[in-house]
Structure formats: structure tokens, C-alpha cells
Amino acid sequence: MSPASRYTYLGPEGTFTEAALHTLPEAATRQLTPMVSVPAALDAVRSGEAQAAFVPIENSVEGGVTATLDELASGTPLMIYREVLLPIAFALLVRPGTALGDVKTVTGHPVAQPQVRGWLGANLPDALWESAASNADGARLVQEGRYDAAFAGEFAAATYGLEPLVTDIHDAENAVTRFVLVGRPARPAAPTGADKTSAVFWLRTDHPGALLEVLQEFAARGVNMMRIESRPTGEGIGRYCFSVDCEGHVQDRRVGDVLMGLKRACREVRFLGSYPRADEQAPTLREGTADGDFVAAADWLTRCLDGRG
Amino acid sequence: MSPASRYTYLGPEGTFTEAALHTLPEAATRQLTPMVSVPAALDAVRSGEAQAAFVPIENSVEGGVTATLDELASGTPLMIYREVLLPIAFALLVRPGTALGDVKTVTGHPVAQPQVRGWLGANLPDALWESAASNADGARLVQEGRYDAAFAGEFAAATYGLEPLVTDIHDAENAVTRFVLVGRPARPAAPTGADKTSAVFWLRTDHPGALLEVLQEFAARGVNMMRIESRPTGEGIGRYCFSVDCEGHVQDRRVGDVLMGLKRACREVRFLGSYPRADEQAPTLREGTADGDFVAAADWLTRCLDGRG
Amino acid sequence: MSPASRYTYLGPEGTFTEAALHTLPEAATRQLTPMVSVPAALDAVRSGEAQAAFVPIENSVEGGVTATLDELASGTPLMIYREVLLPIAFALLVRPGTALGDVKTVTGHPVAQPQVRGWLGANLPDALWESAASNADGARLVQEGRYDAAFAGEFAAATYGLEPLVTDIHDAENAVTRFVLVGRPARPAAPTGADKTSAVFWLRTDHPGALLEVLQEFAARGVNMMRIESRPTGEGIGRYCFSVDCEGHVQDRRVGDVLMGLKRACREVRFLGSYPRADEQAPTLREGTADGDFVAAADWLTRCLDGRG
Amino acid sequence: MSPASRYTYLGPEGTFTEAALHTLPEAATRQLTPMVSVPAALDAVRSGEAQAAFVPIENSVEGGVTATLDELASGTPLMIYREVLLPIAFALLVRPGTALGDVKTVTGHPVAQPQVRGWLGANLPDALWESAASNADGARLVQEGRYDAAFAGEFAAATYGLEPLVTDIHDAENAVTRFVLVGRPARPAAPTGADKTSAVFWLRTDHPGALLEVLQEFAARGVNMMRIESRPTGEGIGRYCFSVDCEGHVQDRRVGDVLMGLKRACREVRFLGSYPRADEQAPTLREGTADGDFVAAADWLTRCLDGRG
């Protein structure tokens, strides 16, 4: 298969990432290659060995996936083309025949632990937890007999010859992980009316209110900021860049105007793409911020410049 | 003489307005016609009977000249092309031979009174003040013997056969009146590097912070607002429009961007012109707000839209 | 009568000011003394010769009454205790027997003219206008036969032996004048739930955004600013102070907090009083800005300081 | 030893956390107990088994330590009393006699890897990396012969009978980790003049500009925000709380005023303490925000309320 038909993803097989990837229709026609890390998945895109990479970017319990945020903020530019939201619920996978009373040792990815801690305390208070490299890896270790049970997606059971003893385990209501499909920069897909735009910006100075000024670029155009995450720039404590998502598409005049405002107000801005919102919610538009308002204002300015204001 | 060569001004002859008008070099080649009121002076421009009108707009002691502000905000649009600042100092004009001790009655324009009240209290505490229709009219009434002395510009003495008994009278230090030359809308003169832009805007709503939002359009682009004056819209108590001057020229990208922001955020905006500052002071430019920064941001946005961000 | 029972007002008798004053119940028990000017009316209060002065402060057509604004902003401090809103409609007063066709000359206060200009153009296009010192003075001059008709309040007809030929004349819908009752500083009346607070502030600097920062003190506490008027400080063109009214009472915690914010942010602030709104409209309260929220926040801070946060 | 004399810290022994803890003078007189995780270290404080816990909160390369941020934001309240900044430089620890050419396998904490990746690529391009549970654990595994070398602090060499083959390894200039000493809530230490205040807040709503409004509480009082980190609340994608540090001490009036503003504007605020800045840098104070300005404004408001404004 050619690189153009390959998608990499954060492996191994049998994780939530792979399950989320399969919700994308185009995944059916691509070669899907698991990679050992987010940087590895993205580097395959940068080098041209893959068309796109599918990686987690944010979890409603654990927060931003820093490897993804930092990779998108540095190195050869990449762009986000799709997002997927996957509700996260764990199954307790065991070898066939195991009863709950038999479970003395459990494993799973370290990130899974805080999401099942409550359930463990209530149902298996004496079970010993040890972390595995991934949820899928935990399932494999149960298959091999190293542990009695593993927390993983229910879909992983078949792959490892296990059975889901308990399903739908999640301490937090609405635990969701957000994944993004990342490719090399290209013209963003056309607006759908329910889009999201991502960017990273570096403040020009540390003066009190510098972040405030930048946020006002959004507020002044009524553009709702949906996510803001500070990340260290590596230049020392107190030096951050900010990764943000906002409502709307770069082709929306108000969003383009916000981006130009950021560009002028910041030391650096990196555009990370405009893509359809997974929740398909259209934004509410503040009066005076529709495309027509921007066009009308630009026309009016032209008339003012010509003495026909 | 053709209308193209006529300037109207707020009369009568012999006032500070006429003196200020004579500081404009082009006044020497125009027919200068005094008018009885600001509306009359401006209506002559609107109807095409005059090329331009010269009227006071602001006084550092008395504030905005409401007739001028309101005429510019309503009716057929007009534009400001020049401004003149004239220090205001009064002379006490008397008939030849009159000594200070002889002055029992004084006159002058009502606006002059608060500017000479202190001097009167100290030097002519018993003199009786009566208002005249203009400072020049006051001088005429002294010539006719109706009053002993008139406060007027020293330049008015000769016209009325009077003598300046005392000169340079002004209670406030730095009393200055600002005048503007107003014409029909046309392409503004080219930027000089030290320009001023005037506009009137009507807020869309009365919600708390509506004015604040509009002022942020200026602040976000580092454009200094030099004057703000609220005027009633005539729609009832609490309904205002705002007349503003800011630093810079409509051709400056940051100023154009502010105006477009106003246009989108307001119910209505009226552009009143960009013209050289009388004080010739160049503005200080905040980082990221020069024309080059706007061009660079627009170029960058184009690249983002094309997938070359 | 003692000074304690005397109210001065901007005279002469027979004007809208006097009519407005009579809408205050306490006016019935006071000696009402007309004065020749706003400063004269207020100086009588400052000197103790009168308990209070009743003066116009704002007109929905003509804007702020600068004499009142400037007097309140300077000199010995005064405070506003009451406001009155009076709809302004003119009557055309004539000597008994005069028909509309007989009216060749009309008079009235200069401020009245723009408010009847439209009516005049439509009904008496050829009548000659000359200004009088006040509307009441105009009525007197008609009585004396100097003019054929005067624009004045209908209530002035009887005083001068005239008849209202036409009533309810006003070019602008909802023309209203706002009057205030001004006294020496004292504890403001208790909050009514629908109050207004007035102040004047002088910006500390001229930097871009200085006014914006001050307005944010209002916005941050959800306090609606109802009027803002810039007035020259007398220090030169471009130097202003700002006269403002906002919703609420100085005893409302959010209003007190705004005032303290102004005090810190400004070169100078002058508190001009809290008093019942003439329109009796209660403000809408933004979440988190009620008195209880301020008390709760202060209690919480105390606990934080004590280590019980 | 009594609980009052015990400090827990994020173990095991021999890590940078322990090295940072030893820079605190009081550590010399405390029993120092390593714990397996941040929650374990903090729970010992909550339960009264330890007086304080010493844990990492932020790394200039890797960002916020989410376990610490989330523990401080939830559960029984805790407070920060001290901070320590430790420059992070790694040593390559080997068994005595090992030469650089002999190193085929290396280990270390996963967080260490991105900080030494560049060095590895340049100096040991063929060495195989495997992660260890901690840097100290990596050193132990080298001692046991499982790996040829471990990245760890130079101070860990002696403990495990290893030798630092190379020292001062760090890809990023100025790599620093910030640690905090956390205890049960109590009155904060007195201000030193160079203090920091930490808090967590939950926005009341998701409306565009909600974060902006909160940041304005800081900006309005000239209080510099030094760190802002968004963390998921666990209520779903797009729901965040914000962990912030700002300059100043809760006893500084401007900081207390900011905190009260947050309390009113937010759904919830948690005060996390005021403590001396490790860098001992005093903040610059904006005009009008000193304690004296707050006292003066409060006094003035009292006078206004009393009618002596």
C-alpha cells in the first residue's frame, strides 16, 4: 500500500484510540498502523510515510495529552482535519471462568487508574493494582496469566481471548476522550456551519494583562473559546505558550479576524486547522459578527477612504 | 466669485473665528463670508453655495460647541479637512481716552464671561456685565457708547475704532479654541504622519458595558482616543451618541480596523474625516500595530486559508 | 423665612424649571427664589443662604447643561438629592385675539429654537425669530407688544396675560429635561431600590485606554452607566474630566466598590450623591453582584486570611 | 517521631524531589518519608500522619504536574507554604568501569526522556531506551545489571554504588522543576515583600468571555498572573477549572481584592495559599494599587456614606 493510504495511530491495537479511529468512515479504506508513541505517529506523517495520524489530544478526566499538544506546537507544522469524541467506559477483562471473587491483581494503563479507582474501592477493595504500558498490554498480560484482570475497552476482549466480567465502568459521568486526525498542512475542508479552529500562540511579553489582551481578540468578535491549555515553552518557569480551540472556521470572517489579531498581538501564532465539530453544534452568533457584517464594514471603509462614507 | 472659492464662517467679522480662519494660508485666496450661526455656515456648504465652512468645535474652557457637534452628526454628511488651534486671550477694548477707572459697564459674548470673571473680580470688581451676541457685537456696542468696555480679540479694536486698554486677559492658562474647516465628503488628504480622525457612533444597545466594548475597539489596536463627547440623540434621556477624535489617519491600517470594528459593533457610525493635527505631534505606535503588522497578518491569514500557514 | 426653608432655582418665574420644581411635594413648604443663573442659584446654597437649589442638568435634545455640570465639578462640594424629569412641550403664547395668520415675529429662549424649528418651518415659515433671555422673558416681551408670539410653557400664559394659541409643540418625540435638587454634602437618603449615583472623575493619565480602565470598574461589577459627559478641565485641549451617573446607591456594595475603584484609578473623584431615580426603574442585577455576594466574598477572604479558607 | 515532625515527599529516595526538599532548612529537623505517589504524600497530610508533603507542581519542560494540581483542587483543602525551584540536570550513571562506548541500554523516568533526547541522539544514537518507574528506580536497575546506564540526579550515584559518567545533561537551557510544600490550612506566613498567591477557580458559565472577565479581576488591580493552567473538572469535554499563581500576598489589599472579585465572579474559588517566592523578586506596583491606596479609597467611601465626601 502507498503512504497516501496509510494512517498511523497511537498503538497498540486494541486501545480506545483504535476504537475511536474506526468511527471515521475513511478508516475502512486505509492501512492502519499502530505506533509506539504520539511523536512516532506524527513523525510518520511529517516524513511522508503516512497520510495522517490519529492521536488523543484531550481527556475529560485527565486533561490535555501533553505529548500531542507539544508535538503540534513545535517541529514541522501539522494540521488537524478531524476530531472524534469517544465516551470512555472500561470493561474488567478476565480469562474465561474467572469470578469477581478470584480477582486479586488488576492492571491497566496508568491513565485508567483514576477513572476506575472508585469502582475498585467499592468492588475490589483488596485487589492489587499494577500499571501496564497500555490498556491493551494489560489485557495481554492477563492472557499470559501475569494478572487476574485488566481494565480495557470491551472491544479488546476478543483479541486476547478474554471475557468482559463487568462492563461500563467509569468513575466520572461523561468521561470522554477527544482524538484528532492530523496531517500535513493543506487547505482546510470547507465550513460545515459547526466547525472548530485550533491554534497555538506565544505571548510577546509577560506584562500583567498580556494574556487578557489576547483573549480580548476573541471576545471582541464574539468568538467563543472552547479550550485553553498553557504549555511551557521550555524557556524557564513562567514562560508559556497557549493552545486554544475556538468555535468557527478560519473562513468565517470573525475567526479570520481573530487570527489576524493574534498574529499582530503575539510573538508567534501557529494555525492548527479548522475542522468539523464532533458534536455538530452550531455556534450562536453575536449581533454584528456575521460574515455579512464584516463585508459591510469593509465596504463602508472603502467608501470612507474614497470620500463616499 | 464662484461658490468654489467661497468659505463661510461663524460671524460676525472681528471674532476669534475669523482670526483663526486667517491662519489658514488658503484663506487669502477665498471669499470669506460670515454667517449668523453654525447651521447657517454649514448649510451653505451642503447646498453648494460655499466650498467649506469654518466653525469652532471645542473650547478648552467651555467644552464642545454643541451646534457644531450636532450638525456634523445629523443631516447631509459633511467632513472635516483641517483643524486650527487658537489661544484665546481677550483684550479690554475701550473708546480712545477711556481709563480703567472709567469703566462702569462691560460686555462680551456669554462664553467670554467665565474666561475673564477672575480678571474682572480682581481689576473691575464693581463693573456691571451685560452679554452681547458676539464679542464683535460687544465691540460695536462700545463704539456706539452703550457700554464702556468690551472683551474681544485685540484684532477687533481697529475695526470698531477702539483701543486695547488691557491685553492678554484670560483666567485659565492655555485657554484654546479649536476650529475645523468642514466641506462636503471627498477623499481625505494624504496622511502626514501626524493626523487625527473624527467619527460619531451610536451604540446598538444600552446594556452595561456597551460603551466599554466600543472603546476596546480603539484600545485593542493601540489607537489613542483624544476626545469623546456624548450628545443626546433626541430619543429621550439616557440615549446618546458619541463624538470622538482619535490619533491617526483612516489610511493607517490600525485606524481603518478600528473604524470597521465600530461599524460592526454600533448601530450607526459616521466618518467625519482624517486631517492633519494642528499640533503636528506624531503618535507613539504600540508594537504590532504598524501598517506592516497588519499587512503581515493578512498575508499570514491568506496562507492559512491556502494551507500554507 | 429662614435659609433652611428657602430653595433657589434657575429663574425667572414662569419657566420649565419652576414648573418642574413644583412637582416636588416639599416645594409647597419652601420659599422659592428665582436666581439669574445656575452659579447664582448654587452659590446661595454654598453660602448657606438657601437650603437647596433646583437647576436643569440635562436635556434630551440639547444635552448636558454645562453650567450645572461645571459648577458641580468645581468649587465647594455640593450633592444631588433629588431628580425630576419634565417632558418639554411648548405652547405658542399670544395676546388675546391674535390669530396664527397674524404672527410675523416670534421669540423664545435660544435653547427652545431647535426644539420648535420644524414646527415653525411647517406652520409659520415666514415668521421672524429673535431670541429672548428666557422663555418667560419672551412671554413678557409679547405682553409688551415687542413680538407677536412667544414659545414658552403653557403654564406661563396666565402670568403674562397671554393665551396659548397652539399647545404641545415639540419637534423631537420624548423631549425631556432633567432637573436636580442640589444641597450641601450630607448623608445620602436611604436606598429606595431604584436609585442613581452621580460622580465626576479626572483621569490620572492620558495613555490610550485610561478611560477604558475606568469604565471597566463599572463593568466588572455589573453597574450600568447611564450618562457620561466629558467636560474640559481648563488645562488645555484634550484634558477632560468625566461626569457620570450610574444605577444604584452608594450604600449598594457593588456601587461602593466601583467608587473605591475609581478613587484608586483616578487622579481625583468627586462623589455627587445617591438619590431616587425619577423613573423609579429598579436595575437588573448581574449574578454575583448583590450585597450578599459582596458580604460572602469578604467573609470568605477573612477566612482565607485566618487559614480557614 | 510524632506526625508533627514528619514530612512526606514524592519518593523514592534519590530523586530530584528529595534533593529539592533538602534545600529547605527545616528539612534537617524533620523525619522525611518517601511516598509512592503524590496522592499518597498528600493524603498523609490530610489524615494528620504528616505535617506537610513536598511534591513537584510544575516543570519548565514538561508543564504542570497534573496529579498535584488535581489533588490541590479537590478533596479536603490543603495549602501551599513554600516553593522551591530546582534546576534539572541529569547525570549518566553507570557501574564503575563502564565506558561510554559500552552503553547499549539506558533507562530513566519517562519524564526524563524528552529532556535528554537530544543528548542521546548526539552521543549514544544507538542506545536503547526503556522507561523506569522513577529516576532512582532506574539507577537501582543499573546497579542490578538490568541496564548499562541510567539518567538520574548526580546525587543518586552514591546511593546505588554508581558513578556519574557524564554530568550536567539537559537539552533545554534553564530546565527547572518547581516543588511546593503543602500542609493543612492555617494562617499564611507573613508577607515578605516578594510573595506568590495560588488559587483554583471554576467559571460560573461557559459564555464567551467568561475567562476574560475573571482575568480582568487581576488586570484591574495590576496583579500579575504568573501561571495559569486549565484542568478538566471531570464534567465532560469543555468543562475546566483554572489553577493560577499571581504575584503578591493575600494580605496585600490588591490581592485580597482580586480574590474577593474571583469569589463573586466564579462558581467556586479555592485559596491555595500565599508564600515567599523562591526567586525573591519583588513585584512592580502599578500606581493606585498599593495598600495605602486601598485604605485611602475605603476611608473616602466611608466619608461619602457619611456625607463628608
Side-chain angles (χ1 to χ4, degrees):
Chain A
M1 266 187 180
S2 79
S5 64
R6 180 186 297 139
Y7 281 6
T8 54
Y9 68 94
L10 176 63
E13 292 177 75
T15 63
F16 288 105
T17 304
E18 191 195 10
L21 175 52
H22 282 298
T23 68
L24 288 180
E26 62 264 44
T29 63
R30 295 297 191 288
Q31 180 188 359
L32 307 179
T33 308
M35 305 295 280
V36 296
S37 67
V38 168
L42 296 175
D43 280 346
V45 177
R46 286 190 168 111
S47 68
E49 292 160 58
Q51 183 193 4
F54 191 78
V55 293
I57 192 167
E58 186 181 9
N59 177 279
S60 70
V61 174
E62 287 301 296
V65 177
T66 57
T68 301
L69 295 171
D70 291 352
E71 281 291 322
L72 290 175
S74 60
T76 307
L78 292 168
M79 260 175 61
I80 301 174
Y81 290 90
R82 297 290 299 270
E83 68 169 2
V84 171
L85 296 175
L86 191 77
I88 301 297
F90 294 91
L92 188 71
L93 305 186
V94 295
R95 288 178 300 276
T98 308
L100 197 58
D102 303 332
V103 176
K104 308 297 177 209
T105 56
V106 294
T107 188
H109 189 269
V111 163
Q113 201 216 358
Q115 305 190 41
V116 301
R117 187 157 35 185
W119 185 91
L120 268 179
N123 297 281
L124 288 171
D126 299 324
L128 191 75
W129 167 281
E130 278 190 33
S131 292
S134 71
N135 290 321
D137 205 47
R140 190 181 49 77
L141 294 169
V142 172
Q143 185 183 32
E144 294 174 4
R146 291 265 297 271
Y147 300 100
D148 298 327
F151 287 102
E154 192 177 349
F155 47 78
T159 312
Y160 297 99
L162 301 179
E163 282 182 350
L165 187 61
V166 186
T167 60
D168 204 28
I169 301 172
H170 50 92
D171 281 10
E173 285 306 311
N174 309 319
V176 173
T177 295
R178 184 178 159 229
F179 301 86
V180 287
L181 183 71
V182 174
R184 288 180 294 279
R187 185 183 292 266
T192 66
D195 303 282
K196 193 182 274 191
T197 293
S198 298
V200 194
F201 60 85
W202 285 257
L203 297 179
R204 189 172 275 136
T205 64
D206 294 333
H207 77 84
L211 175 59
L212 190 74
E213 280 174 18
V214 171
L215 299 190
Q216 276 170 337
E217 301 284 342
F218 291 88
R221 284 94 171 178
V223 171
N224 193 16
M225 207 173 57
M226 309 177 72
R227 181 182 61 83
I228 179 166
E229 184 103 18
S230 60
R231 291 295 304 151
T233 62
E235 297 161 310
I237 287 281
R239 309 301 299 271
Y240 305 100
C241 65
F242 292 86
S243 175
V244 294
D245 297 339
C246 69
E247 290 184 344
H249 192 284
V250 60
Q251 289 185 25
D252 294 335
R253 299 288 295 254
R254 68 189 179 286
V255 175
D257 217 53
V258 167
L259 288 172
M260 288 192 290
L262 294 187
K263 184 71 178 172
R264 295 190 303 265
C266 292
R267 178 153 59 92
E268 194 189 332
V269 186
R270 188 180 272 218
F271 172 65
L272 292 182
S274 290
Y275 45 92
R277 287 175 63 159
D279 63 8
E280 297 182 1
Q281 262 190 273
T284 43
L285 213 57
R286 200 178 67 190
E287 196 177 358
T289 66
D291 278 11
D293 297 305
F294 275 84
V295 172
D299 287 351
W300 172 76
L301 183 66
T302 302
R303 290 197 304 276
C304 290
L305 287 164
D306 285 352
R308 301 173 294 120
Chain B
M1 265 189 184
S2 81
S5 65
R6 180 186 298 140
Y7 281 6
T8 55
Y9 67 94
L10 175 63
E13 293 177 75
T15 64
F16 287 104
T17 305
E18 192 195 10
L21 175 53
H22 283 297
T23 68
L24 289 180
E26 61 265 43
T29 63
R30 296 296 190 289
Q31 180 188 359
L32 308 179
T33 306
M35 306 294 282
V36 297
S37 67
V38 168
L42 296 176
D43 280 346
V45 176
R46 286 188 169 112
S47 67
E49 293 161 57
Q51 182 194 3
F54 191 79
V55 293
I57 192 167
E58 186 182 10
N59 176 279
S60 69
V61 175
E62 288 301 296
V65 177
T66 58
T68 300
L69 295 171
D70 291 352
E71 281 290 324
L72 290 175
S74 60
T76 307
L78 293 168
M79 260 175 59
I80 301 174
Y81 290 91
R82 297 289 300 270
E83 69 168 4
V84 171
L85 297 175
L86 190 77
I88 301 296
F90 293 90
L92 188 71
L93 304 187
V94 294
R95 288 179 299 276
T98 308
L100 197 57
D102 303 331
V103 176
K104 307 298 178 207
T105 57
V106 294
T107 188
H109 190 268
V111 163
Q113 200 215 359
Q115 305 190 40
V116 301
R117 187 158 35 189
W119 186 90
L120 268 180
N123 297 280
L124 289 171
D126 299 323
L128 191 74
W129 166 280
E130 277 190 35
S131 290
S134 71
N135 290 321
D137 205 47
R140 190 181 49 79
L141 294 169
V142 171
Q143 185 183 31
E144 294 175 3
R146 291 266 295 272
Y147 300 101
D148 297 329
F151 287 101
E154 191 175 350
F155 47 78
T159 311
Y160 298 98
L162 302 179
E163 282 184 351
L165 187 60
V166 185
T167 60
D168 203 29
I169 300 172
H170 50 92
D171 281 10
E173 284 306 310
N174 310 318
V176 172
T177 295
R178 184 179 159 229
F179 301 86
V180 287
L181 184 71
V182 174
R184 288 179 296 279
R187 185 183 293 267
T192 65
D195 302 282
K196 193 181 277 193
T197 292
S198 298
V200 194
F201 60 86
W202 286 257
L203 297 179
R204 187 173 276 137
T205 64
D206 292 335
H207 78 84
L211 175 60
L212 191 71
E213 280 174 19
V214 171
L215 299 191
Q216 276 170 338
E217 301 283 344
F218 291 89
R221 285 91 171 179
V223 171
N224 193 16
M225 207 174 57
M226 309 177 72
R227 180 182 62 85
I228 179 166
E229 184 104 18
S230 61
R231 291 296 303 153
T233 62
E235 298 160 308
I237 287 281
R239 309 300 300 271
Y240 305 100
C241 65
F242 292 86
S243 175
V244 294
D245 298 338
C246 69
E247 288 184 345
H249 192 284
V250 61
Q251 289 185 25
D252 295 334
R253 299 288 295 255
R254 68 189 180 286
V255 175
D257 217 52
V258 166
L259 288 172
M260 288 192 290
L262 294 188
K263 185 72 178 172
R264 294 189 306 265
C266 292
R267 178 153 57 93
E268 193 188 332
V269 186
R270 189 180 271 217
F271 172 65
L272 293 182
S274 291
Y275 45 91
R277 289 176 62 157
D279 63 9
E280 296 181 2
Q281 262 190 274
T284 44
L285 212 57
R286 200 179 65 190
E287 198 178 357
T289 66
D291 277 13
D293 297 303
F294 276 84
V295 172
D299 288 350
W300 172 78
L301 182 66
T302 302
R303 290 196 304 274
C304 291
L305 288 163
D306 286 353
R308 300 174 293 118
Chain C
M1 265 190 183
S2 81
S5 64
R6 180 187 298 140
Y7 281 6
T8 55
Y9 67 95
L10 175 63
E13 293 177 75
T15 64
F16 287 104
T17 305
E18 192 194 11
L21 175 52
H22 282 297
T23 68
L24 289 180
E26 62 264 44
T29 63
R30 295 297 191 288
Q31 180 188 359
L32 306 179
T33 307
M35 305 294 281
V36 296
S37 68
V38 168
L42 296 176
D43 280 346
V45 177
R46 286 189 169 111
S47 68
E49 292 161 58
Q51 183 193 4
F54 191 78
V55 292
I57 191 168
E58 186 182 9
N59 177 279
S60 69
V61 175
E62 288 301 296
V65 177
T66 56
T68 301
L69 294 171
D70 292 352
E71 280 291 322
L72 290 175
S74 60
T76 307
L78 293 167
M79 260 174 60
I80 301 173
Y81 290 90
R82 296 290 299 270
E83 69 168 3
V84 171
L85 297 175
L86 191 78
I88 301 296
F90 293 91
L92 187 71
L93 306 187
V94 296
R95 287 177 301 276
T98 307
L100 196 58
D102 304 331
V103 176
K104 308 295 179 209
T105 56
V106 294
T107 188
H109 190 269
V111 163
Q113 201 216 358
Q115 306 190 40
V116 301
R117 184 157 36 183
W119 186 92
L120 267 179
N123 297 280
L124 289 171
D126 300 323
L128 191 74
W129 166 281
E130 277 191 34
S131 292
S134 72
N135 290 321
D137 205 47
R140 190 180 50 77
L141 294 170
V142 172
Q143 184 182 34
E144 293 175 3
R146 290 267 296 272
Y147 300 101
D148 298 327
F151 287 100
E154 191 176 350
F155 47 77
T159 312
Y160 297 100
L162 302 179
E163 283 182 349
L165 187 61
V166 185
T167 59
D168 204 28
I169 300 171
H170 50 92
D171 282 11
E173 286 305 310
N174 310 317
V176 173
T177 295
R178 185 178 158 229
F179 301 86
V180 288
L181 183 72
V182 174
R184 286 179 297 278
R187 185 182 293 265
T192 65
D195 303 282
K196 194 182 274 191
T197 293
S198 299
V200 195
F201 59 85
W202 286 256
L203 298 179
R204 188 173 275 135
T205 63
D206 293 334
H207 78 85
L211 175 59
L212 190 73
E213 280 174 18
V214 171
L215 299 190
Q216 276 170 337
E217 300 284 341
F218 291 89
R221 284 92 171 178
V223 172
N224 193 16
M225 208 175 56
M226 308 177 72
R227 182 182 60 84
I228 180 165
E229 184 104 19
S230 61
R231 291 295 305 151
T233 62
E235 298 160 309
I237 287 282
R239 309 300 299 269
Y240 305 100
C241 64
F242 292 86
S243 176
V244 294
D245 297 340
C246 69
E247 289 184 343
H249 192 284
V250 61
Q251 289 183 27
D252 294 335
R253 298 288 295 255
R254 68 188 180 287
V255 175
D257 217 53
V258 167
L259 289 172
M260 288 192 291
L262 295 188
K263 184 71 179 172
R264 296 189 304 264
C266 292
R267 178 153 58 92
E268 194 188 333
V269 185
R270 188 180 273 218
F271 171 65
L272 293 182
S274 290
Y275 46 92
R277 286 174 64 159
D279 63 9
E280 296 182 3
Q281 261 190 274
T284 44
L285 213 56
R286 200 179 65 191
E287 197 177 358
T289 66
D291 277 13
D293 297 304
F294 276 83
V295 172
D299 288 351
W300 171 78
L301 182 66
T302 302
R303 291 197 303 276
C304 291
L305 288 163
D306 285 353
R308 300 172 294 119
Chain D
M1 265 189 184
S2 80
S5 65
R6 181 187 297 141
Y7 281 6
T8 54
Y9 67 94
L10 175 63
E13 293 178 75
T15 63
F16 287 104
T17 305
E18 192 195 11
L21 175 52
H22 283 297
T23 68
L24 289 180
E26 62 264 43
T29 63
R30 296 295 191 288
Q31 181 188 357
L32 306 180
T33 307
M35 306 294 280
V36 297
S37 67
V38 168
L42 297 175
D43 280 347
V45 177
R46 286 188 168 113
S47 68
E49 293 161 57
Q51 183 193 1
F54 191 78
V55 292
I57 192 167
E58 185 182 11
N59 176 279
S60 69
V61 174
E62 288 301 295
V65 177
T66 58
T68 301
L69 295 171
D70 292 352
E71 281 291 322
L72 291 174
S74 60
T76 307
L78 293 168
M79 259 175 60
I80 301 173
Y81 290 91
R82 296 290 300 269
E83 70 168 4
V84 171
L85 296 175
L86 191 77
I88 301 297
F90 293 91
L92 187 71
L93 304 187
V94 295
R95 289 179 299 278
T98 308
L100 198 57
D102 303 331
V103 177
K104 307 296 179 209
T105 57
V106 294
T107 189
H109 190 268
V111 163
Q113 201 215 357
Q115 306 190 39
V116 301
R117 188 159 32 188
W119 186 91
L120 268 179
N123 297 280
L124 288 172
D126 300 323
L128 191 73
W129 166 280
E130 278 190 34
S131 290
S134 71
N135 290 321
D137 205 48
R140 190 181 49 76
L141 294 170
V142 172
Q143 184 183 33
E144 294 175 3
R146 292 266 295 272
Y147 300 101
D148 298 329
F151 287 100
E154 191 176 351
F155 47 79
T159 311
Y160 298 99
L162 302 179
E163 283 183 350
L165 188 60
V166 185
T167 59
D168 203 29
I169 300 172
H170 50 91
D171 281 11
E173 285 306 311
N174 310 317
V176 173
T177 295
R178 185 179 158 229
F179 301 86
V180 288
L181 184 71
V182 173
R184 288 179 296 279
R187 184 182 294 266
T192 65
D195 302 282
K196 192 183 277 193
T197 292
S198 298
V200 194
F201 60 85
W202 286 258
L203 298 179
R204 187 173 274 136
T205 64
D206 293 334
H207 78 84
L211 174 60
L212 189 73
E213 279 174 18
V214 171
L215 299 190
Q216 275 170 339
E217 300 284 342
F218 292 88
R221 284 91 171 178
V223 171
N224 193 16
M225 207 174 57
M226 309 177 72
R227 180 182 62 83
I228 180 165
E229 184 104 18
S230 61
R231 291 295 304 152
T233 62
E235 297 160 309
I237 287 281
R239 309 301 300 270
Y240 305 101
C241 65
F242 292 87
S243 175
V244 294
D245 298 338
C246 69
E247 289 184 344
H249 193 283
V250 60
Q251 289 185 26
D252 295 334
R253 299 289 293 256
R254 69 189 179 286
V255 175
D257 217 53
V258 166
L259 288 172
M260 288 192 290
L262 294 189
K263 184 71 178 172
R264 295 189 305 264
C266 292
R267 178 154 57 94
E268 193 189 332
V269 186
R270 188 179 271 218
F271 171 64
L272 293 181
S274 291
Y275 45 92
R277 288 174 63 157
D279 64 8
E280 296 182 3
Q281 262 190 272
T284 43
L285 212 57
R286 199 178 65 190
E287 196 176 357
T289 66
D291 278 12
D293 297 304
F294 276 83
V295 172
D299 288 351
W300 173 77
L301 182 66
T302 302
R303 290 196 304 275
C304 291
L305 288 163
D306 286 352
R308 300 174 291 119

